[in-house]
Structures are given as structure tokens and as C-alpha cells.
Amino acid sequence: MTPVDLIVVGAGPFGLIAAHTWLELNPNDDVLLLESAADLGGVWSKSRMHPIIKTQAPLGMFEFPCYPMEKLPKDKTFHNYFPGSHVTAYLEDFATHKAFSRKTLKDRIVFNSHVKHIIKTDKLWTISITLDTSFTCEKLIIATGLTSTPNLPSFPKDDFSPPVIHTRSLAANIPLLNSPSINDVVVIGGSKSAFDAVQILHSLNKTVKWIIRTSGQGPAFLAAPNAPWPLHSSHDIISMRLVAKMSPCIYEPVDNWSRICHGNKVGIRIVDAIWWFVDWTWRRVANFDRDENMKGLKPGRPLCLSADGLAVSNSEGLWDNVANATVLRDEVESAEGKDLILKSGKRVTCDAVIAATGWSNTYPMFDNALATELELPLPFQTPQEDGKAVAEWETLLAEADKKVVETFPRLANLPTYPHPEPKSTPNKLFRSIIPISGDIDHSIAFVGAIGSAQSLNVAEIQALWAAAYLSKKLTLPTVEKMKQEVALATAWRKRRYLEDGYNVIFEHVQYMSLLLRDLGLNDQRKGGGWRELLEPYVSADFKGILDEWRRLHDLL
Ligand SMILES: Cc1cc2nc3c(=O)[nH]c(=O)nc-3n(C[C@H](O)[C@H](O)[C@H](O)COP(=O)(O)OP(=O)(O)OC[C@H]3O[C@@H](n4cnc5c(N)ncnc54)[C@H](O)[C@@H]3O)c2cc1C
Ligand SMILES: NC(=O)c1ccc[n+]([C@@H]2O[C@H](COP(=O)([O-])OP(=O)(O)OC[C@H]3O[C@@H](n4cnc5c(N)ncnc54)[C@H](OP(=O)(O)O)[C@@H]3O)[C@@H](O)[C@H]2O)c1
């Protein structure tokens, strides 16, 4: 096939807005999106949607700033958190609302096209779907999401007959789970998908045993949905710059606020007390001490150290619902017949297993050599880079760690908590978007490689950042400086969140600000004064960033 100008792999929110942004800037370009599934929207696609799924960001904070979402009446929301099906409809509308060269985004999606292999020859990327179907392009954006590839538990199964269903395919399996032959269901995992699975199973009148291992992060920390007046929801709290300042964060230069909050003993004590208070209020809502069973759902970590395990109790009656499951703080070691055999020796008989066991965040479409060159995460068992590169990285990391501790003394001695071995090596993309030295002709970018609590805002800002980079209109620091920044982000994450997760929850305001500053745009978008500190950031605050950037580059 003739090479196209741009291919975007993945038609979830990040892929859709990335393609849209590119087309806004280059309306005559030939742009394709390759999508594994038969529908668009990724996590929010019709085929993955089930009635329990609600957003974890409220109305007004979970929409592309350039495309406002239709508001819903109060009785259709829960403290402003709203049904996932509304996001499904929104993304469908977004993909068809505008045509570029008479083609909408949806017209450009090649569905049922799972990308298996990507290589680069000369100046072109070749993207293979099957042995005889491939596409070539000059520019490539990877938007395959952090929650696309299931991580399945790998215990030995001897003639184990019940189906093991990952939460990715929960919606598709509801008819099977609803069948009368399935009564006892086991849910494995402690994070938000497990909470959702338990609620769905109860709505189908199933008996649920819920197994959460003790060697990892434990049960998710679920924030209460509401917040004190004048705020509307708990999300408002973490979307204020003042609260963001209370997290030790390397995404912005040290200013007076960071010195006050993190640079002296009094500030550290006050900030700790605030975190403790919010932690206490949110735990109180769950009433974990109501019985022995519920005690097993106490969050594994304090609020301020929960990132990948932080979620919102975003549906009515959630705690009373999950209290009906039998919680076992144990681990599956093997399975035979209809029994799961646990580490404690206990046997649990079941008709089905729901694996709410998370995701793999590697990029299997790149072979190891290319993935290493592009500085992508690799599964831990993969042979590592050459010794020289490893030594260079270790030195950078050690220097970065020193800087993190000097800047934020509180991170020097955090308490320890159990955490699982990371499944992959760290993602070394600069700003979590581009390879530092493996892409000299600016032809590839990765969007959606960082998780956040305002992912549609992050998606639009990343899309512009990626388009600016691919158009060679982004001024980048030197390679040396970029390496230092990536090492700093990695060292910070290791200390701040005690492992290598990928979410920025308390720091999403700073991460978005950082990208805007890189683009030369105003990142203080609340009009200054108290508003900048206390008014929660919403999607509308980022409206118009594309035109602002165009103006800066005389493209309007
Ligand atoms: C159940 C659930 C609920 C969530 N709720 C929230 C929330 O409330 N708020 C929030 O901010 N975030 C939430 N998240 C995080 C979620 O990742 C983001 O909301 C958002 O969907 C990320 O968009 P994305 O485009 O990066 O990834 P996705 O939505 O996962 O889309 C990626 C797309 O890439 C496709 N793809 C993957 N691999 C390939 C391949 N090899 N070839 C072709 N196509 C491929 C997938 O089929 C998918 O369509 C949730 C995640 C889950 C799993
Ligand atoms: N909008 C919503 O309401 C909603 C719903 C669902 C998910 N989400 C979001 O989607 C993202 C992904 O959430 P997720 O819950 O799907 O995945 P996740 O956060 O990655 O959690 C995976 C869970 O599986 C456990 N696990 C992994 N491997 C295991 C094994 N081998 N045996 C036993 N347990 C194992 C982990 O425990 P360890 O700590 O022990 O490893 C963890 O509890 C999060 O950001 C979440 O907030 C949002």
C-alpha cells in the first residue's frame, strides 16, 4: 500500500483525540487508525461496557476540552460521577462530529485490526496485522492503552473446569455468569475492577468469595464520592493546585509552596496531618470495623501513598454491597477440579473465577531490540540492555534519587508496605511520550502511557504535545537533560509511590502544567490569585489550547 502520513494504533480516547488534533493541524493528510476491537472507545467501547461502570471523574472533568460533553440530569449521576455508557455515546459522537477532507475519524478507523508487529525501515514504519496485511506510514502514534492486555494469574491448573474470566471480558460474559449453573464465583484481586466485579455478581444473585493476596498492595483505597461544600465531589479536592502542592512532586520547579509544604519539619507535620485527616474521613465512610469480613477490605496503604490502588466509591451503596462477599486475604496456589487451593491450605469450590488481576503495560508489537532502542518497558524476564547502558542508567538513577531526597526530605524514610515485584522495567519515554534517542527523525510518539485522574484532559494535552513533536515544532532539552529528567521521574516514582506504577493521581495538575509549559502555553489557567490555588481544574480550563499553540507558531 502507498504509505499514509500518519497511523494511530488504538481508537480509545487517547487515539481518537491524537488523530483529531493531527487532522486539525493537517486536514489534508491521509490518517488511519488501526483498532483491534470491532468498536471504538477502548475501555469505554460498547462491547466492554457494563451497567456498574461509572466514571471516576465527575461531569465537567471527563471530556475533551475541545468538545464539551452533554450534561446529565442529577438523578442520572452519583455525586456527579456518571455512567460509562454516557462516555461511550460521547466518544461515538466525537468520532463522527467533524469531517476532514470529507472523512470523519470513524471513517478512518480500520476495525478488527490487531497490530502484531511494527518495524522501521529507512524513513517508514511498517505495521503488520496479519502475515499479508500491513500498512506503512511516515508518522506513528501508539495509543494502545494501559488496560488492554490482561495480566492473568499463572497458578497451575489440573483439570480445572470453571471458566477463568478476566475483567476485560466481564461485559461479554455476563450472559454466561447469569446462567443458573453458575452460583459460586471467586473474584481474585483487590483493585477497582474487583470491586466492580463483586457488585455485578451480587446484582446477578451469585455467592462471591473474594481473594486478595497479602503480598501486594492489598485492597484499593476508595475515596468517598462527596466533598464538603462548596465542592461537589472528592475529585474536586485532588484537582486543586493547592492540594497538588501537598504532594511532593518533581513535575515543577521548587517554589515557595513546595518549600512550605515539604522543606521543613513544621510544614511536613501540617501536610501529614491534612493527609491523615482526609484518609480517616474516607475510611470512615466504609465502616471497615463493622465486621471481621469487612476488616479484610481495609486499604493496604495510607491514602497519600496510594496511586495505582486509588479509586472512588462511585456507585450508590457500594460498601454495603461488597460487604456481602466473603473476603479471604490469601493467595491461589493451584487449582484442580472445581477447587482453588490457597496458600493457607484452604480449598474454595467455585463455578467461575473472575480475574481482576490487572494489566500488562508493555508493547509486544515491538521486538525486544526495537523496544529497547525506543526505551519502552520490557517484561522483567527479558534479557536486559547491554552492560554499558545499564551502568549509565544506574548512575543517572542514583543521582536522580539523591536529588529527590534533597528536594523532598520526607521521601527519604517512608514506611514500608508490601508491594508486588514490578511486572516490567520502567517506561523511559520523555514526559511519558517520546523516546529520547531512538527516534532521530521525530516519527513516533506514545500517548496514554501515563494514568491519571483526568485522563481526557491529559489525552488532549498529550495529543497536542505529540503533534508538536512529530511536526518538529517542539523545542526539546538536550539529550543529556532529557535522560536526567526521565531518571528523576523514575526515582521519584519509586520513592513517592513505593514502586514503579504508572498513575499520577495527586499530581495530574502538575503533569498537565508541565506539558503546557513545554508547548510554550500558559499553564496557570485559573486567572491567578486564590482561584489558581483553590478552584478545581476542569476540562473547560484547557479549552482553546490548540489555537493558542497555533497562534504561537503563526499557524492561524
Ligand atoms: C474499567 C476501567 C475503568 C476506568 N475508569 C476510568 C475513569 O473513570 N477515569 C479515568 O480517568 N480513567 C479511567 N480508566 C483508565 C482508562 O485507561 C482511561 O479512561 C482511558 O480509557 C485510556 O484511554 P486509552 O485510549 O489510552 O486506552 P484504551 O481506552 O484502553 O484504548 C486503547 C485502544 O487500543 C486498542 N488496542 C490495544 N492494543 C492494540 C493493538 N495491538 N492493535 C490495535 N489496537 C489495539 C484497544 O482495543 C483499545 O480500543 C479506567 C480503566 C478501566 C479498565
Ligand atoms: N471507573 C471505574 O470505576 C473503574 C473501574 C475499574 C478500574 N478502574 C481504573 O482502571 C485502572 C486499572 O484498575 P484494575 O483494577 O483493572 O487493575 P489494577 O489497578 O492494576 O489492579 C490489579 C489487581 O490485581 C491484583 N493482582 C495482580 N496479579 C495478581 C495475581 N497474580 N494474583 C492475585 N492478585 C493479583 C493486584 O494486587 P497486588 O497489589 O497484590 O499486585 C491488584 O489488586 C485503575 O486506574 C482503576 O482505578 C476504574
Side-chain angles (χ1 to χ4, degrees), residues 508-532:
H508 61 243
V509 173
Q510 287 105 321
Y511 177 70
M512 292 188 285
S513 276
L514 175 68
L515 298 189
L516 291 173
R517 288 198 301 275
D518 286 348
L519 286 161
L521 303 181
N522 175 24
D523 69 317
Q524 311 273 308
R525 305 185 72 86
K526 286 292 190 183
W530 69 270
R531 284 179 188 278
E532 188 55 48

CSV table of all heavy atoms in Angstrom, one decimal, residues 508-532:
chain,number,residue,atom,x,y,z
A,508,HIS,N,-1.8,15.2,38.8
A,508,HIS,CA,-2.2,15.4,37.4
A,508,HIS,C,-2.2,16.9,37.0
A,508,HIS,O,-1.9,17.2,35.9
A,508,HIS,CB,-3.5,14.7,37.1
A,508,HIS,CG,-4.7,15.1,37.8
A,508,HIS,ND1,-5.4,14.3,38.7
A,508,HIS,CD2,-5.3,16.3,37.9
A,508,HIS,CE1,-6.4,15.0,39.2
A,508,HIS,NE2,-6.4,16.2,38.8
A,509,VAL,N,-2.5,17.7,38.0
A,509,VAL,CA,-2.5,19.2,37.6
A,509,VAL,C,-1.1,19.6,37.2
A,509,VAL,O,-0.8,20.2,36.2
A,509,VAL,CB,-3.0,20.0,38.8
A,509,VAL,CG1,-2.8,21.5,38.6
A,509,VAL,CG2,-4.4,19.7,39.2
A,510,GLN,N,-0.1,19.1,38.0
A,510,GLN,CA,1.3,19.5,37.7
A,510,GLN,C,1.8,18.8,36.4
A,510,GLN,O,2.5,19.4,35.6
A,510,GLN,CB,2.3,19.0,38.8
A,510,GLN,CG,2.2,19.8,40.0
A,510,GLN,CD,1.5,19.1,41.1
A,510,GLN,OE1,0.5,18.4,40.9
A,510,GLN,NE2,2.0,19.2,42.4
A,511,TYR,N,1.4,17.6,36.1
A,511,TYR,CA,1.8,16.9,34.9
A,511,TYR,C,1.2,17.7,33.7
A,511,TYR,O,1.9,18.0,32.7
A,511,TYR,CB,1.3,15.5,34.8
A,511,TYR,CG,1.7,14.8,33.6
A,511,TYR,CD1,3.0,14.5,33.2
A,511,TYR,CD2,0.7,14.4,32.6
A,511,TYR,CE1,3.4,13.8,32.0
A,511,TYR,CE2,1.1,13.8,31.4
A,511,TYR,CZ,2.4,13.5,31.1
A,511,TYR,OH,2.7,12.9,29.9
A,512,MET,N,0.0,18.1,33.7
A,512,MET,CA,-0.6,18.8,32.6
A,512,MET,C,0.1,20.2,32.4
A,512,MET,O,0.4,20.6,31.3
A,512,MET,CB,-2.2,19.0,32.8
A,512,MET,CG,-2.9,17.7,32.7
A,512,MET,SD,-4.7,17.8,32.7
A,512,MET,CE,-5.1,18.2,34.4
A,513,SER,N,0.3,20.8,33.6
A,513,SER,CA,1.1,22.1,33.5
A,513,SER,C,2.4,22.0,32.9
A,513,SER,O,2.8,22.8,32.1
A,513,SER,CB,1.3,22.6,35.0
A,513,SER,OG,0.2,23.3,35.4
A,514,LEU,N,3.1,20.9,33.2
A,514,LEU,CA,4.4,20.7,32.7
A,514,LEU,C,4.4,20.6,31.1
A,514,LEU,O,5.2,21.2,30.4
A,514,LEU,CB,5.0,19.3,33.2
A,514,LEU,CG,6.3,18.8,32.7
A,514,LEU,CD1,7.4,19.8,33.1
A,514,LEU,CD2,6.6,17.4,33.2
A,515,LEU,N,3.4,19.8,30.6
A,515,LEU,CA,3.3,19.7,29.2
A,515,LEU,C,3.0,21.0,28.5
A,515,LEU,O,3.5,21.4,27.4
A,515,LEU,CB,2.2,18.6,28.8
A,515,LEU,CG,2.5,17.2,29.3
A,515,LEU,CD1,1.5,16.2,28.6
A,515,LEU,CD2,3.9,16.7,28.9
A,516,LEU,N,2.1,21.8,29.2
A,516,LEU,CA,1.7,23.1,28.6
A,516,LEU,C,2.9,24.0,28.6
A,516,LEU,O,3.1,24.8,27.6
A,516,LEU,CB,0.5,23.7,29.4
A,516,LEU,CG,-0.8,23.0,29.3
A,516,LEU,CD1,-1.8,23.6,30.3
A,516,LEU,CD2,-1.4,23.1,27.9
A,517,ARG,N,3.7,24.0,29.6
A,517,ARG,CA,4.9,24.9,29.7
A,517,ARG,C,5.8,24.4,28.5
A,517,ARG,O,6.4,25.3,27.8
A,517,ARG,CB,5.6,24.8,31.0
A,517,ARG,CG,4.9,25.5,32.2
A,517,ARG,CD,5.8,25.7,33.3
A,517,ARG,NE,6.4,24.5,33.9
A,517,ARG,CZ,5.8,23.7,34.8
A,517,ARG,NH1,4.6,24.0,35.3
A,517,ARG,NH2,6.5,22.6,35.2
A,518,ASP,N,6.0,23.1,28.3
A,518,ASP,CA,6.9,22.7,27.2
A,518,ASP,C,6.4,23.2,25.9
A,518,ASP,O,7.2,23.6,25.0
A,518,ASP,CB,6.8,21.1,27.1
A,518,ASP,CG,7.6,20.4,28.2
A,518,ASP,OD1,8.3,21.0,28.9
A,518,ASP,OD2,7.4,19.2,28.3
A,519,LEU,N,5.0,23.3,25.8
A,519,LEU,CA,4.5,23.8,24.5
A,519,LEU,C,4.5,25.4,24.4
A,519,LEU,O,4.1,25.9,23.4
A,519,LEU,CB,3.0,23.4,24.4
A,519,LEU,CG,2.8,21.9,24.1
A,519,LEU,CD1,1.4,21.4,24.5
A,519,LEU,CD2,3.0,21.6,22.6
A,520,GLY,N,5.0,26.0,25.4
A,520,GLY,CA,5.1,27.5,25.4
A,520,GLY,C,3.7,28.1,25.8
A,520,GLY,O,3.5,29.3,25.5
A,521,LEU,N,2.8,27.3,26.4
A,521,LEU,CA,1.4,27.8,26.7
A,521,LEU,C,1.3,28.2,28.1
A,521,LEU,O,2.1,27.7,29.0
A,521,LEU,CB,0.4,26.8,26.3
A,521,LEU,CG,0.4,26.3,24.8
A,521,LEU,CD1,-0.7,25.3,24.6
A,521,LEU,CD2,0.3,27.5,23.9
A,522,ASN,N,0.3,29.0,28.4
A,522,ASN,CA,0.1,29.4,29.8
A,522,ASN,C,-0.4,28.2,30.6
A,522,ASN,O,-1.4,27.5,30.2
A,522,ASN,CB,-1.0,30.5,29.8
A,522,ASN,CG,-1.4,30.9,31.2
A,522,ASN,OD1,-0.6,30.7,32.2
A,522,ASN,ND2,-2.5,31.5,31.4
A,523,ASP,N,0.2,27.8,31.7
A,523,ASP,CA,-0.3,26.7,32.5
A,523,ASP,C,-1.0,27.1,33.7
A,523,ASP,O,-1.6,26.3,34.4
A,523,ASP,CB,0.9,25.8,32.9
A,523,ASP,CG,1.8,26.4,33.9
A,523,ASP,OD1,2.1,27.6,33.8
A,523,ASP,OD2,2.2,25.7,34.9
A,524,GLN,N,-1.0,28.4,34.0
A,524,GLN,CA,-1.8,28.9,35.2
A,524,GLN,C,-3.1,29.4,34.6
A,524,GLN,O,-3.2,30.5,34.2
A,524,GLN,CB,-1.1,30.0,35.9
A,524,GLN,CG,0.4,29.7,36.2
A,524,GLN,CD,0.6,29.0,37.5
A,524,GLN,OE1,0.1,29.4,38.5
A,524,GLN,NE2,1.3,27.9,37.5
A,525,ARG,N,-4.1,28.6,34.5
A,525,ARG,CA,-5.3,28.9,33.6
A,525,ARG,C,-6.5,29.3,34.4
A,525,ARG,O,-7.6,29.4,33.9
A,525,ARG,CB,-5.6,27.7,32.8
A,525,ARG,CG,-4.3,27.2,32.0
A,525,ARG,CD,-4.6,26.1,31.0
A,525,ARG,NE,-5.4,26.6,29.9
A,525,ARG,CZ,-4.9,27.1,28.7
A,525,ARG,NH1,-3.7,27.3,28.6
A,525,ARG,NH2,-5.8,27.4,27.8
A,526,LYS,N,-6.3,29.6,35.7
A,526,LYS,CA,-7.5,30.0,36.5
A,526,LYS,C,-7.6,31.5,36.7
A,526,LYS,O,-8.4,31.9,37.5
A,526,LYS,CB,-7.4,29.3,37.9
A,526,LYS,CG,-7.6,27.8,37.8
A,526,LYS,CD,-9.1,27.6,37.5
A,526,LYS,CE,-9.5,26.2,37.7
A,526,LYS,NZ,-11.0,26.1,37.3
A,527,GLY,N,-6.7,32.2,36.1
A,527,GLY,CA,-6.8,33.7,36.2
A,527,GLY,C,-6.1,34.2,37.4
A,527,GLY,O,-6.2,35.4,37.8
A,528,GLY,N,-5.3,33.4,38.0
A,528,GLY,CA,-4.4,33.9,39.1
A,528,GLY,C,-5.1,34.0,40.5
A,528,GLY,O,-6.3,33.7,40.6
A,529,GLY,N,-4.3,34.4,41.5
A,529,GLY,CA,-4.9,34.6,42.8
A,529,GLY,C,-5.4,33.4,43.5
A,529,GLY,O,-4.9,32.3,43.2
A,530,TRP,N,-6.4,33.5,44.3
A,530,TRP,CA,-6.9,32.4,45.1
A,530,TRP,C,-7.5,31.3,44.1
A,530,TRP,O,-7.5,30.1,44.4
A,530,TRP,CB,-8.0,32.8,46.1
A,530,TRP,CG,-9.3,33.3,45.4
A,530,TRP,CD1,-9.6,34.6,45.0
A,530,TRP,CD2,-10.4,32.5,45.0
A,530,TRP,NE1,-10.8,34.7,44.4
A,530,TRP,CE2,-11.3,33.4,44.4
A,530,TRP,CE3,-10.7,31.2,45.1
A,530,TRP,CZ2,-12.6,33.0,43.9
A,530,TRP,CZ3,-12.0,30.7,44.6
A,530,TRP,CH2,-12.9,31.6,44.0
A,531,ARG,N,-8.0,31.8,43.0
A,531,ARG,CA,-8.6,30.8,42.1
A,531,ARG,C,-7.6,29.8,41.6
A,531,ARG,O,-7.9,28.6,41.5
A,531,ARG,CB,-9.2,31.5,40.8
A,531,ARG,CG,-10.5,32.2,41.0
A,531,ARG,CD,-10.9,32.9,39.7
A,531,ARG,NE,-12.0,33.8,40.0
A,531,ARG,CZ,-13.3,33.4,40.0
A,531,ARG,NH1,-13.5,32.1,39.8
A,531,ARG,NH2,-14.2,34.2,40.3
A,532,GLU,N,-6.4,30.2,41.3
A,532,GLU,CA,-5.4,29.3,40.9
A,532,GLU,C,-5.1,28.2,41.9
A,532,GLU,O,-4.8,27.1,41.6
A,532,GLU,CB,-4.1,30.1,40.5
A,532,GLU,CG,-3.0,29.3,39.9
A,532,GLU,CD,-3.5,28.6,38.6
A,532,GLU,OE1,-4.1,29.3,37.7
A,532,GLU,OE2,-3.2,27.4,38.5
